[in-house]
Amino acid sequence: MARAVVVSERTVGLDNPLTIHNYLNLALYEHARGNTLLALRFFRSCLDICRHLLGNEHILVANAQHSLAKALAIERHLAADQAPQPCLDPSPIPKYASSIAH
């Protein structure tokens, strides 16, 4: 998949829609595989190329921004899940709680 991006850059150029499409596909592929940090790199590359070629108001720029934002949100969520969670109530369950459940 990464080879397609390299070939596209070399044959049709960095400013070609095919290259942009390949970067986006590669980012989505890596994101689906769980390689979020690598996917973020490709999303950013796609976004940078889109902005340079098309300007900030183009729909492809908005699409690339949306994809990047989703990947960032997932990365932050995963990082938060891996952090130790504080115990809100360290007190033990009262003995009478088991009799209430029955």
Side-chain angles (χ1 to χ4, degrees):
M1 185 68 93
R3 191 175 290 196
V5 172
V6 173
V7 169
S8 181
E9 283 181 355
R10 290 181 182 170
T11 56
V12 296
L14 197 59
D15 58 345
N16 191 286
L18 180 62
T19 303
I20 296 169
H21 186 74
N22 286 337
Y23 263 111
L24 186 58
N25 281 340
L26 183 58
L28 292 169
Y29 172 75
E30 292 298 341
H31 184 64
R33 291 186 63 212
N35 297 329
T36 309
L37 294 177
L38 185 57
L40 289 173
R41 194 173 104 202
F42 292 127
F43 279 129
R44 285 188 180 111
S45 295
C46 177
L47 181 58
D48 290 342
I49 296 168
C50 284
R51 280 184 176 153
H52 176 73
L53 294 176
L54 307 169
N56 284 330
E57 303 300 320
H58 198 277
I59 190 70
L60 288 178
V61 173
N63 186 24
Q65 286 174 329
H66 178 72
S67 297
L68 178 59
K70 282 177 36 178
L72 281 170
I74 290 171
E75 178 63 25
R76 287 187 185 131
H77 179 72
L78 291 175
D81 282 349
Q82 293 173 358
Q85 298 296 320
C87 182
L88 299 177
D89 185 12
S91 62
I93 298 173
K95 290 182 183 180
Y96 66 86
S98 62
S99 63
I100 296 173
H102 297 296

